[in-house]
Amino acid sequence: MNDAEEVKSRLDIVEVVGQYLSLQKAGRTFKAPCPFHAEKTPSFIVSPDRQSWHCFGACGTGGDVISFVMRREGIEFPEALKMLAERAGVRLKERRPASPEQEKARERLYAANEAAAAWFTKLLNDGAGRSAKAYVEKRGIDEATAQAFALGYAPDEWQAAEEYLTGLGFSQRELLSAGLLVSGERGSHDRFRGRLMFPVWDTRGRIVGFGARAMSDAATPKYLNTAQTPLFDKGGILYAYDRAKDAIQQEGCAVVVEGYMDVIAAHQYGFRNVVAQMGTALTERQVRLLKRVSAEIVLGLDADQAGTQAMIRGHDVVMEAQGAGEPAVPVVNWRGLVTYQESASVELKVAVLPEGKDPDDFIREDADAWRTLIDSAKPVLDYRLDAAAQAHDLANPRGRSDLAREFLPLLSAVADPVVRAHYLQRLSRLAQVSEEELARMLGRPQRRLRGGLDGNQPAQRSSIRANSTEEFVLALLLQHPALREHGLAAPEDVFWDAQAAQLFKLWKDLETEIRVKEEAPPELEEYLARLYNRRLPVSDVREAAEALEDCIRKLNDRRLRAEKEATATQIADLQDEVGVSAILGSVQQEILVRDTEIGRELHKNRREDSQERVETRVNGN
């Protein structure tokens, strides 16, 4: 039994949740208004039998006692585990500190990056970097700014950096680990060649990697970053954050742009609260990093970016094609931004630049106009509603329907009833549908509204016993890499255990099972080891795939049964009410319809399962 399981075994979820909510007994369960969204009829159910909670209203999520505290307190898994461990009297195992040898190895990587940056800067200012120097001057970067950002030049040679740095005493292995070299068929060679170099610092001001721009517009890729290394993790780094954070705190606003040059131009002209995401999309960790120092974040989008959503992708995970072997990076989509804004109390806004302009050009032409643009940035929901209204033909009923189906999934993440009512009113005018009907649509299961738009809500799941079906699924995925395609198709909401949900998300985000082992957080190490060591009753990939599909079906049936129990409780509550109104009767009717749908889906799953078992027996004979 690991730490998380020990903590959950000593706590009663009803007691823990009861510290936050006023729970009412409802048969074998307890109910309360959901703490994560505004509602009149309680849809938040706590099951002492399962030691789980679930919201059957707008949230549509659930979890165990750890995931409840994570969401209610707005903290991550390790912090929630520590808080509950203190309550349960469980002493958590201490994380293994890095050994002196490991610390020394990391310091060597920092030193290698520092030495490389100094050498690149020297080359920029002598004859070797003449073309890069001319480009810097052409872009209007003055000497003081170039020095402040330590701009440099990597010569267009295959092993110039390797020869220089090994001459300083760094080993080839260290340079490969730092991401300064890459290994090819003919051995190692410099990763950066013939490029303008931008050192990238971490939050403590240490160089952890580089961004590099090709000097030829025909070269691909145009921009190249350091690959994933022990120091460089582009999903958690913001360019210039180390020098922008003080200004962000002072001004109460962080501005996020796409390019290195955009940041440098902004700082040169006095806008020191500007940072850039690494790569082509904003990640949740980057948003979380900014939230530490500011309650307002403005996303500065180019006009063409606003159409393609280059900074914020409309799907959960994106693989950047900037070099072989780079891992997938979880990114924030529009729904994720709205959800994060609600849960983290941070104001997220969007500022769209004029057509054909990027921040670099715009700031140089008119610094006051840039200030006005940022000051007039729209809240995320305003921007998305306006953009959706322009994208659809509102003179056509189908266009108005598409508008509602595109926007309602974003609005479902809003907990504030006043804010929600405001946008329902605006959407009602645009879609020519009553606010009451839109509210009813908003309360239905989210899968009916998504219309192809991916969600990005935090995974909240409920508790189950050890050695469960969830663990069996994860063991199959980890021990059989060939099942990855099958696993990626599995919905995250079938995982109710907080550890299982966290590990499944990690498995989805990383491209190989080896990376899961390497990058799993310390609190999951014991759990992960147990899954890898678990003996599985399958002899080949075909059997493993069949077992996986069967288990996922069972987990989905469990979810459906939980929904059926919850609707039964709601129906009983309504029947007990005195003087049920016509409106309440319509709500009851909607619950009954939903209950029937759940039953049909369960029956369908059982029929398909029985049919497969018959076919298996026939084929086996």
Side-chain angles (χ1 to χ4, degrees):
M1 184 179 291
N2 61 26
D3 285 340
E5 291 164 349
E6 177 72 16
V7 167
K8 288 189 288 186
S9 71
R10 296 194 185 187
L11 294 175
D12 180 2
I13 192 170
V14 175
E15 292 182 3
V16 175
V17 175
Q19 295 291 316
Y20 296 89
L21 309 176
S22 178
L23 296 174
Q24 296 179 354
K25 182 74 172 173
R28 297 175 63 182
T29 63
F30 292 81
K31 65 178 183 178
C34 180
F36 308 125
H37 77 276
E39 62 179 11
K40 295 181 179 178
T41 302
S43 63
F44 184 89
I45 306 296
V46 180
S47 170
D49 294 340
R50 293 192 179 91
Q51 287 294 295
S52 67
W53 63 273
H54 201 97
C55 171
F56 294 95
C59 297
T61 58
D64 58 12
V65 66
I66 299 176
S67 61
F68 175 81
V69 172
M70 285 170 60
R71 184 158 183 175
R72 191 68 176 83
E73 297 286 348
I75 56 181
E76 297 298 319
F77 183 89
E79 290 78 15
L81 180 61
K82 182 179 179 181
M83 178 186 297
L84 290 171
E86 292 175 355
R87 178 189 178 104
V90 174
R91 184 175 181 179
L92 299 178
K93 299 180 180 67
E94 294 184 4
R95 295 188 179 187
R96 295 192 302 271
S99 67
E101 293 76 14
Q102 290 173 322
E103 288 292 344
K104 183 178 180 181
R106 286 180 66 86
E107 290 301 323
R108 290 286 292 173
L109 300 187
Y110 286 121
N113 282 327
E114 293 284 352
W119 185 61
F120 292 145
T121 298
K122 179 178 180 297
L123 293 179
L124 179 67
N125 295 302
D126 63 22
R130 188 179 299 109
S131 62
K133 185 74 170 179
Y135 176 81
V136 170
E137 293 172 352
K138 179 183 176 182
R139 294 296 297 265
I141 300 174
D142 59 36
E143 187 66 28
T145 303
Q147 290 181 6
F149 282 87
L151 301 187
Y153 174 71
D156 194 8
E157 300 175 27
W158 283 90
Q159 293 180 312
E162 180 177 8
E163 291 176 359
Y164 175 77
L165 293 169
T166 53
L168 295 180
F170 294 100
S171 69
Q172 186 182 80
R173 182 177 180 180
E174 289 173 329
L175 299 178
L176 284 166
S177 185
L180 293 164
L181 304 183
V182 293
S183 182
E185 295 180 359
R186 300 180 180 180
S188 62
H189 59 80
D190 297 355
R191 178 176 177 82
F192 304 108
R193 303 182 305 279
R195 291 175 176 270
L196 177 64
M197 301 298 293
F198 301 85
V200 177
W201 292 267
D202 64 10
T203 57
R204 295 171 57 183
R206 299 171 298 185
I207 297 178
V208 293
F210 296 88
R213 190 197 190 281
M215 289 294 91
S216 169
D217 290 335
T220 56
K222 184 177 179 181
Y223 279 94
L224 180 66
N225 289 330
T226 295
Q228 189 88 5
T229 73
L231 304 183
F232 187 87
D233 179 4
K234 65 183 176 185
I237 297 173
L238 287 161
Y239 181 64
Y241 175 83
D242 60 304
R243 63 192 63 213
K245 59 185 178 183
D246 289 343
I248 291 172
Q249 284 183 317
Q250 291 170 5
E251 298 187 31
C253 173
V255 180
V256 184
V257 296
E258 184 189 12
Y260 301 110
M261 284 294 188
D262 297 330
V263 171
I264 292 174
H267 282 245
Q268 180 172 312
Y269 280 77
F271 301 105
R272 302 185 183 278
N273 63 331
V274 180
V275 296
Q277 85 281 5
M278 304 297 300
T280 59
L282 188 68
T283 73
E284 184 179 348
R285 281 185 293 160
Q286 290 167 341
V287 174
R288 195 182 304 134
L289 181 63
L290 290 173
K291 198 264 177 183
R292 296 177 186 173
V293 292
S294 176
E296 181 177 309
I297 301 172
V298 176
L299 310 177
L301 301 182
D302 294 351
D304 58 341
Q305 287 180 335
T308 60
Q309 299 184 13
M311 183 181 286
I312 309 161
R313 296 297 178 89
H315 50 279
D316 294 327
V317 176
V318 70
M319 172 69 79
E320 297 216 18
Q322 292 190 344
E326 290 198 35
V329 177
V331 303
V332 180
N333 62 15
W334 291 107
R335 180 177 171 81
L337 285 176
V338 176
T339 302
Y340 194 84
Q341 176 171 273
E342 284 293 302
S343 63
S345 300
V346 58
E347 181 73 11
L348 288 155
K349 296 182 177 181
V350 176
V352 180
L353 282 84
E355 190 77 31
K357 299 290 185 182
D358 59 28
D360 181 9
D361 301 326
F362 194 67
I363 290 170
R364 294 181 193 284
E365 290 178 6
D366 192 339
D368 290 335
W370 168 262
R371 184 178 291 104
T372 300
L373 180 76
I374 299 303
D375 290 343
S376 60
K378 293 181 179 180
V380 168
L381 279 172
D382 286 281
Y383 170 75
R384 286 301 294 161
L385 182 55
D386 293 344
Q390 293 177 14
H392 297 292
D393 180 8
L394 300 187
N396 186 300
R398 172 56 62 185
R400 295 195 296 273
S401 176
D402 290 342
L403 168 65
R405 291 181 180 277
E406 179 177 333
F407 187 71
L408 282 174
L410 303 182
L411 192 55
S412 68
V414 177
D416 190 318
V418 176
V419 175
R420 181 182 289 201
H422 166 75
Y423 286 105
L424 279 175
Q425 187 179 65
R426 287 192 59 192
L427 182 60
S428 173
R429 290 197 297 267
L430 291 169
Q432 298 180 27
V433 179
S434 70
E435 294 175 45
E436 292 76 12
E437 178 59 28
L438 289 173
R440 282 195 291 271
M441 292 174 66
L442 192 60
R444 292 170 191 162
Q446 196 60 47
R447 63 171 181 263
R448 296 187 177 187
L449 299 175
R450 287 168 68 170
L453 186 68
D454 288 329
N456 194 28
Q457 289 177 299
Q460 310 289 345
R461 313 292 177 244
S462 65
S463 175
I464 53 173
R465 66 185 183 279
N467 301 318
S468 65
T469 305
E470 294 186 19
E471 289 190 8
F472 185 71
V473 168
L474 291 172
L476 283 169
L477 295 176
L478 291 168
Q479 295 184 35
H480 292 274
L483 298 180
R484 185 164 188 82
E485 185 175 347
H486 296 274
L488 290 173
E492 288 187 14
D493 61 2
V494 300
F495 289 91
W496 286 8
D497 179 71
Q499 288 183 110
Q502 186 185 24
L503 184 57
F504 182 67
K505 188 175 187 304
L506 182 69
W507 176 87
K508 286 181 68 175
D509 292 348
L510 302 178
E511 59 181 351
T512 67
E513 284 62 36
I514 294 175
R515 291 197 64 83
V516 175
K517 279 186 175 181
E518 293 175 344
E519 300 191 22
E523 62 270 12
L524 288 182
E525 287 180 356
E526 184 179 339
Y527 184 66
L528 187 62
R530 186 171 77 203
L531 294 174
Y532 270 110
N533 293 328
R534 180 168 179 163
R535 297 184 63 183
L536 302 175
V538 293
S539 58
D540 55 31
V541 175
R542 181 185 62 81
E543 285 190 4
E546 291 176 354
L548 180 65
E549 291 179 4
D550 184 59
C551 289
I552 291 175
R553 183 185 295 119
K554 288 178 180 177
L555 292 175
N556 194 49
D557 281 353
R558 179 185 64 180
R559 177 183 60 81
L560 292 170
R561 284 193 296 271
E563 287 192 33
K564 189 174 178 65
E565 290 177 10
T567 54
T569 299
Q570 288 179 289
I571 291 170
D573 290 343
L574 288 172
Q575 290 173 339
D576 290 340
E577 292 288 341
V578 177
V580 179
S581 66
I583 294 177
L584 198 56
S586 68
V587 173
Q588 180 177 353
Q589 182 62 33
E590 185 174 333
I591 293 172
L592 285 167
V593 170
R594 175 64 186 139
D595 186 50
T596 302
E597 291 173 353
I598 293 170
R600 286 173 180 166
E601 191 168 347
L602 272 169
H603 179 70
K604 178 180 176 225
N605 285 353
R606 290 167 184 159
R607 187 175 64 248
E608 291 175 352
D609 188 42
S610 298
Q611 183 177 349
E612 287 184 12
R613 293 179 188 280
V614 170
E615 291 174 354
T616 300
R617 286 198 296 269
V618 171
N619 294 335
N621 294 332

